[in-house]
Structures are given as C-alpha cells and as structure tokens.
Amino acid sequence: MNFQDNGQELTGKIAVYGGTFNPFHMGHLLTAQTAADQFGLQKVILMPSGNSYMKDQAEILDAQTRIRLIELSIENNPLLMVSAMETERPGRTYTYETMRRLREKHPQVSWSFLMGADSLMAMERWRNPEKILENCRILVASRGEWQESVLLAKANELRRRYGGEIELMPERRIDISSSEIRERIRAHRSVRYMLAEKAYEYLTSHHLYLW
C-alpha cells in the first residue's frame, strides 16, 4: 500500500522506517516485522531517502525504481506501506523535517522512527537530532554489528544530551546487506532469496546494478 501524505487518516502507533533501500531486501522486511511485533505497531511506513546529505548518490538507483522494488516486496501485507514523501521533496532531505511534518499533520499518531545501529552511533552528525527526538521515539535495530553494551551506552548518552525516547530491539543476525547484493550482481552471482521473489524478478529482468 502507498502512503499519500494528503489527509490520509492514521491512528495508533506507527513507525517510519527510513533508509536508502538500495535495494530493499528480506532483511529490511524482517526488521519491519520484528519492530511491529515488539512495539505493537499498527503500521510501518517504508520511506526511501531522497537527496540525502549523508550518502554518495553515485550508485543509488533512481527513486521510482527503489519504490517499485519496495511495492513488489510488500504486496498483500497490510502492515507495511511505502511513501515517496522524501524522494518527492526538492533539495536535501532531513529526517527532523519529515517527522515534524508527519506529527503536525497526524497529531493523533504515536510516531516512531526505525533505524539501524550504525545510524544510532552517528546520530550526532544528523541535522538537528534533538528535533527528531522531540517528534518521535527512536527504535534501533541491530544485526550484531555492535555490542549491546556499546549501543546502550550511546542511547543513554543521546538521551542525556537531547532527551526523548530511544528503544533497542533484540539483536537479530541478518546476514544480508544492500551493498552485498550490489556486489554479487556485478560479479554475476545469484541474489535469489535475498529479496522478495517479485522484487528479485524485477531486478534481474531490468538488469539493475550492472553499470
């Protein structure tokens, strides 16, 4: 389902799951489902980043293609929605602006922002992290790349510095990454079962990442 920020009614607990999603894969799906189960979320909005100041744009697929791969991955799953809110915004995109806008338009929603452990560790370098924490709770998913004690220490440091809520999800060993998928494609190795089947078929039939 596509989320259109045009008065669409939302209620309950909802998380925005932001990321480049280059490409969106099975690890992302499992992370979204795990967050929903642990925190009782009614919806998870998958929001591909637009022109991010934190990323090199050279190897990133165009927004329409990344969104299409997500749409194919979440078919028939009422929990998950995809939003082009950031990719349609001109210029640089900032998470604090996205979450402020969502909270202003949907004040009845309890908002969370779902991120990976690497993002938590770098959060001071994000634009206005204190404004992100003003408008939503942070949910942190770890794939085992950081020790829990390190993440807890960072979460406590950020709480003291900026206030707000930061919750850690149980560690899950998800040995899939978007960068590995891109590397395997360029090496002409299979990425089947690393993506949802329809996304895999679209990716291979359109020869994506073979530049």
Side-chain angles (χ1 to χ4, degrees), residues 131-149:
K131 293 184 179 179
I132 300 174
L133 284 158
E134 281 176 13
N135 288 294
C136 62
R137 173 178 58 168
I138 300 296
L139 310 179
V140 183
S142 172
R143 298 184 300 185
E145 65 270 55
W146 296 91
Q147 291 185 353
E148 185 179 8
S149 59

PDB file of all heavy atoms in Angstrom, residues 131-149:
ATOM      1  N   LYS A 131      15.563  17.685  17.409  1.00  0.00           N
ATOM      2  CA  LYS A 131      14.220  17.883  16.860  1.00  0.00           C
ATOM      3  C   LYS A 131      13.607  16.559  16.408  1.00  0.00           C
ATOM      4  O   LYS A 131      12.384  16.410  16.424  1.00  0.00           O
ATOM      5  CB  LYS A 131      14.268  18.894  15.719  1.00  0.00           C
ATOM      6  CG  LYS A 131      14.629  20.294  16.189  1.00  0.00           C
ATOM      7  CD  LYS A 131      14.570  21.301  15.063  1.00  0.00           C
ATOM      8  CE  LYS A 131      14.922  22.695  15.585  1.00  0.00           C
ATOM      9  NZ  LYS A 131      14.897  23.717  14.513  1.00  0.00           N
ATOM     10  N   ILE A 132      14.453  15.618  16.008  1.00  0.00           N
ATOM     11  CA  ILE A 132      13.933  14.279  15.710  1.00  0.00           C
ATOM     12  C   ILE A 132      13.344  13.678  16.975  1.00  0.00           C
ATOM     13  O   ILE A 132      12.209  13.171  16.981  1.00  0.00           O
ATOM     14  CB  ILE A 132      15.047  13.370  15.156  1.00  0.00           C
ATOM     15  CG1 ILE A 132      15.645  13.944  13.876  1.00  0.00           C
ATOM     16  CG2 ILE A 132      14.496  11.956  14.903  1.00  0.00           C
ATOM     17  CD1 ILE A 132      16.854  13.183  13.357  1.00  0.00           C
ATOM     18  N   LEU A 133      14.097  13.757  18.063  1.00  0.00           N
ATOM     19  CA  LEU A 133      13.647  13.155  19.323  1.00  0.00           C
ATOM     20  C   LEU A 133      12.479  13.906  19.944  1.00  0.00           C
ATOM     21  O   LEU A 133      11.742  13.338  20.749  1.00  0.00           O
ATOM     22  CB  LEU A 133      14.828  13.095  20.296  1.00  0.00           C
ATOM     23  CG  LEU A 133      15.819  11.967  19.974  1.00  0.00           C
ATOM     24  CD1 LEU A 133      17.186  12.250  20.559  1.00  0.00           C
ATOM     25  CD2 LEU A 133      15.287  10.643  20.479  1.00  0.00           C
ATOM     26  N   GLU A 134      12.273  15.154  19.565  1.00  0.00           N
ATOM     27  CA  GLU A 134      11.097  15.893  20.024  1.00  0.00           C
ATOM     28  C   GLU A 134       9.818  15.338  19.423  1.00  0.00           C
ATOM     29  O   GLU A 134       8.749  15.404  20.028  1.00  0.00           O
ATOM     30  CB  GLU A 134      11.204  17.377  19.633  1.00  0.00           C
ATOM     31  CG  GLU A 134      12.090  18.217  20.520  1.00  0.00           C
ATOM     32  CD  GLU A 134      12.197  19.640  19.992  1.00  0.00           C
ATOM     33  OE1 GLU A 134      11.396  20.008  19.089  1.00  0.00           O
ATOM     34  OE2 GLU A 134      13.079  20.377  20.453  1.00  0.00           O
ATOM     35  N   ASN A 135       9.935  14.808  18.209  1.00  0.00           N
ATOM     36  CA  ASN A 135       8.744  14.444  17.439  1.00  0.00           C
ATOM     37  C   ASN A 135       8.471  12.956  17.330  1.00  0.00           C
ATOM     38  O   ASN A 135       7.434  12.564  16.803  1.00  0.00           O
ATOM     39  CB  ASN A 135       8.856  15.047  16.030  1.00  0.00           C
ATOM     40  CG  ASN A 135       8.663  16.549  16.038  1.00  0.00           C
ATOM     41  OD1 ASN A 135       7.587  17.045  16.332  1.00  0.00           O
ATOM     42  ND2 ASN A 135       9.726  17.276  15.743  1.00  0.00           N
ATOM     43  N   CYS A 136       9.393  12.121  17.816  1.00  0.00           N
ATOM     44  CA  CYS A 136       9.159  10.682  17.709  1.00  0.00           C
ATOM     45  C   CYS A 136      10.078   9.919  18.654  1.00  0.00           C
ATOM     46  O   CYS A 136      11.086  10.449  19.135  1.00  0.00           O
ATOM     47  CB  CYS A 136       9.379  10.192  16.275  1.00  0.00           C
ATOM     48  SG  CYS A 136      11.066  10.420  15.681  1.00  0.00           S
ATOM     49  N   ARG A 137       9.723   8.690  18.884  1.00  0.00           N
ATOM     50  CA  ARG A 137      10.578   7.753  19.600  1.00  0.00           C
ATOM     51  C   ARG A 137      11.507   7.083  18.590  1.00  0.00           C
ATOM     52  O   ARG A 137      11.130   6.844  17.445  1.00  0.00           O
ATOM     53  CB  ARG A 137       9.685   6.705  20.284  1.00  0.00           C
ATOM     54  CG  ARG A 137      10.406   5.554  20.931  1.00  0.00           C
ATOM     55  CD  ARG A 137       9.428   4.597  21.620  1.00  0.00           C
ATOM     56  NE  ARG A 137       8.439   4.063  20.691  1.00  0.00           N
ATOM     57  CZ  ARG A 137       7.630   3.044  20.967  1.00  0.00           C
ATOM     58  NH1 ARG A 137       7.682   2.471  22.168  1.00  0.00           N
ATOM     59  NH2 ARG A 137       6.763   2.621  20.086  1.00  0.00           N
ATOM     60  N   ILE A 138      12.722   6.779  19.007  1.00  0.00           N
ATOM     61  CA  ILE A 138      13.679   6.093  18.144  1.00  0.00           C
ATOM     62  C   ILE A 138      13.695   4.604  18.487  1.00  0.00           C
ATOM     63  O   ILE A 138      13.855   4.228  19.654  1.00  0.00           O
ATOM     64  CB  ILE A 138      15.102   6.673  18.307  1.00  0.00           C
ATOM     65  CG1 ILE A 138      15.131   8.163  17.939  1.00  0.00           C
ATOM     66  CG2 ILE A 138      16.104   5.887  17.468  1.00  0.00           C
ATOM     67  CD1 ILE A 138      14.802   8.452  16.507  1.00  0.00           C
ATOM     68  N   LEU A 139      13.537   3.766  17.469  1.00  0.00           N
ATOM     69  CA  LEU A 139      13.649   2.318  17.608  1.00  0.00           C
ATOM     70  C   LEU A 139      14.901   1.882  16.858  1.00  0.00           C
ATOM     71  O   LEU A 139      15.079   2.231  15.693  1.00  0.00           O
ATOM     72  CB  LEU A 139      12.416   1.619  17.020  1.00  0.00           C
ATOM     73  CG  LEU A 139      11.051   2.137  17.482  1.00  0.00           C
ATOM     74  CD1 LEU A 139       9.932   1.353  16.796  1.00  0.00           C
ATOM     75  CD2 LEU A 139      10.918   2.058  18.993  1.00  0.00           C
ATOM     76  N   VAL A 140      15.755   1.123  17.523  1.00  0.00           N
ATOM     77  CA  VAL A 140      17.056   0.777  16.947  1.00  0.00           C
ATOM     78  C   VAL A 140      17.140  -0.718  16.700  1.00  0.00           C
ATOM     79  O   VAL A 140      16.990  -1.527  17.627  1.00  0.00           O
ATOM     80  CB  VAL A 140      18.204   1.214  17.877  1.00  0.00           C
ATOM     81  CG1 VAL A 140      19.548   0.920  17.218  1.00  0.00           C
ATOM     82  CG2 VAL A 140      18.089   2.691  18.226  1.00  0.00           C
ATOM     83  N   ALA A 141      17.390  -1.095  15.451  1.00  0.00           N
ATOM     84  CA  ALA A 141      17.542  -2.497  15.067  1.00  0.00           C
ATOM     85  C   ALA A 141      19.020  -2.803  14.889  1.00  0.00           C
ATOM     86  O   ALA A 141      19.733  -2.077  14.191  1.00  0.00           O
ATOM     87  CB  ALA A 141      16.792  -2.769  13.763  1.00  0.00           C
ATOM     88  N   SER A 142      19.485  -3.869  15.513  1.00  0.00           N
ATOM     89  CA  SER A 142      20.888  -4.273  15.397  1.00  0.00           C
ATOM     90  C   SER A 142      20.981  -5.620  14.701  1.00  0.00           C
ATOM     91  O   SER A 142      20.214  -6.538  15.008  1.00  0.00           O
ATOM     92  CB  SER A 142      21.534  -4.357  16.777  1.00  0.00           C
ATOM     93  OG  SER A 142      22.824  -4.911  16.690  1.00  0.00           O
ATOM     94  N   ARG A 143      21.947  -5.735  13.789  1.00  0.00           N
ATOM     95  CA  ARG A 143      22.216  -7.010  13.123  1.00  0.00           C
ATOM     96  C   ARG A 143      23.449  -7.689  13.736  1.00  0.00           C
ATOM     97  O   ARG A 143      24.004  -8.595  13.141  1.00  0.00           O
ATOM     98  CB  ARG A 143      22.440  -6.796  11.628  1.00  0.00           C
ATOM     99  CG  ARG A 143      21.243  -6.219  10.909  1.00  0.00           C
ATOM    100  CD  ARG A 143      21.474  -6.119   9.432  1.00  0.00           C
ATOM    101  NE  ARG A 143      22.629  -5.260   9.116  1.00  0.00           N
ATOM    102  CZ  ARG A 143      22.990  -4.932   7.889  1.00  0.00           C
ATOM    103  NH1 ARG A 143      22.309  -5.385   6.853  1.00  0.00           N
ATOM    104  NH2 ARG A 143      24.033  -4.157   7.677  1.00  0.00           N
ATOM    105  N   GLY A 144      23.851  -7.229  14.904  1.00  0.00           N
ATOM    106  CA  GLY A 144      25.000  -7.826  15.557  1.00  0.00           C
ATOM    107  C   GLY A 144      26.302  -7.130  15.243  1.00  0.00           C
ATOM    108  O   GLY A 144      27.370  -7.581  15.659  1.00  0.00           O
ATOM    109  N   GLU A 145      26.234  -5.979  14.518  1.00  0.00           N
ATOM    110  CA  GLU A 145      27.458  -5.283  14.159  1.00  0.00           C
ATOM    111  C   GLU A 145      28.032  -4.469  15.317  1.00  0.00           C
ATOM    112  O   GLU A 145      29.196  -4.060  15.272  1.00  0.00           O
ATOM    113  CB  GLU A 145      27.236  -4.390  12.943  1.00  0.00           C
ATOM    114  CG  GLU A 145      26.273  -3.219  13.146  1.00  0.00           C
ATOM    115  CD  GLU A 145      24.817  -3.536  12.845  1.00  0.00           C
ATOM    116  OE1 GLU A 145      24.295  -4.494  13.443  1.00  0.00           O
ATOM    117  OE2 GLU A 145      24.202  -2.827  12.025  1.00  0.00           O
ATOM    118  N   TRP A 146      27.224  -4.224  16.346  1.00  0.00           N
ATOM    119  CA  TRP A 146      27.671  -3.510  17.535  1.00  0.00           C
ATOM    120  C   TRP A 146      27.290  -4.316  18.772  1.00  0.00           C
ATOM    121  O   TRP A 146      26.209  -4.907  18.822  1.00  0.00           O
ATOM    122  CB  TRP A 146      27.023  -2.128  17.627  1.00  0.00           C
ATOM    123  CG  TRP A 146      27.400  -1.189  16.526  1.00  0.00           C
ATOM    124  CD1 TRP A 146      26.752  -1.012  15.341  1.00  0.00           C
ATOM    125  CD2 TRP A 146      28.522  -0.304  16.501  1.00  0.00           C
ATOM    126  NE1 TRP A 146      27.388  -0.067  14.582  1.00  0.00           N
ATOM    127  CE2 TRP A 146      28.480   0.390  15.265  1.00  0.00           C
ATOM    128  CE3 TRP A 146      29.547  -0.011  17.411  1.00  0.00           C
ATOM    129  CZ2 TRP A 146      29.428   1.350  14.916  1.00  0.00           C
ATOM    130  CZ3 TRP A 146      30.494   0.944  17.057  1.00  0.00           C
ATOM    131  CH2 TRP A 146      30.436   1.612  15.828  1.00  0.00           C
ATOM    132  N   GLN A 147      28.146  -4.308  19.793  1.00  0.00           N
ATOM    133  CA  GLN A 147      27.805  -4.966  21.048  1.00  0.00           C
ATOM    134  C   GLN A 147      26.670  -4.215  21.721  1.00  0.00           C
ATOM    135  O   GLN A 147      26.584  -2.983  21.656  1.00  0.00           O
ATOM    136  CB  GLN A 147      29.018  -5.017  21.973  1.00  0.00           C
ATOM    137  CG  GLN A 147      30.124  -5.928  21.504  1.00  0.00           C
ATOM    138  CD  GLN A 147      31.252  -6.037  22.523  1.00  0.00           C
ATOM    139  OE1 GLN A 147      31.271  -5.320  23.529  1.00  0.00           O
ATOM    140  NE2 GLN A 147      32.182  -6.928  22.259  1.00  0.00           N
ATOM    141  N   GLU A 148      25.798  -4.963  22.404  1.00  0.00           N
ATOM    142  CA  GLU A 148      24.651  -4.335  23.062  1.00  0.00           C
ATOM    143  C   GLU A 148      25.090  -3.281  24.069  1.00  0.00           C
ATOM    144  O   GLU A 148      24.454  -2.227  24.201  1.00  0.00           O
ATOM    145  CB  GLU A 148      23.797  -5.409  23.753  1.00  0.00           C
ATOM    146  CG  GLU A 148      22.524  -4.836  24.368  1.00  0.00           C
ATOM    147  CD  GLU A 148      21.664  -5.895  25.028  1.00  0.00           C
ATOM    148  OE1 GLU A 148      22.129  -7.049  25.151  1.00  0.00           O
ATOM    149  OE2 GLU A 148      20.529  -5.572  25.421  1.00  0.00           O
ATOM    150  N   SER A 149      26.176  -3.530  24.792  1.00  0.00           N
ATOM    151  CA  SER A 149      26.641  -2.572  25.797  1.00  0.00           C
ATOM    152  C   SER A 149      27.033  -1.242  25.152  1.00  0.00           C
ATOM    153  O   SER A 149      26.809  -0.170  25.728  1.00  0.00           O
ATOM    154  CB  SER A 149      27.828  -3.147  26.571  1.00  0.00           C
ATOM    155  OG  SER A 149      28.898  -3.455  25.687  1.00  0.00           O
TER     156      SER A 149
END
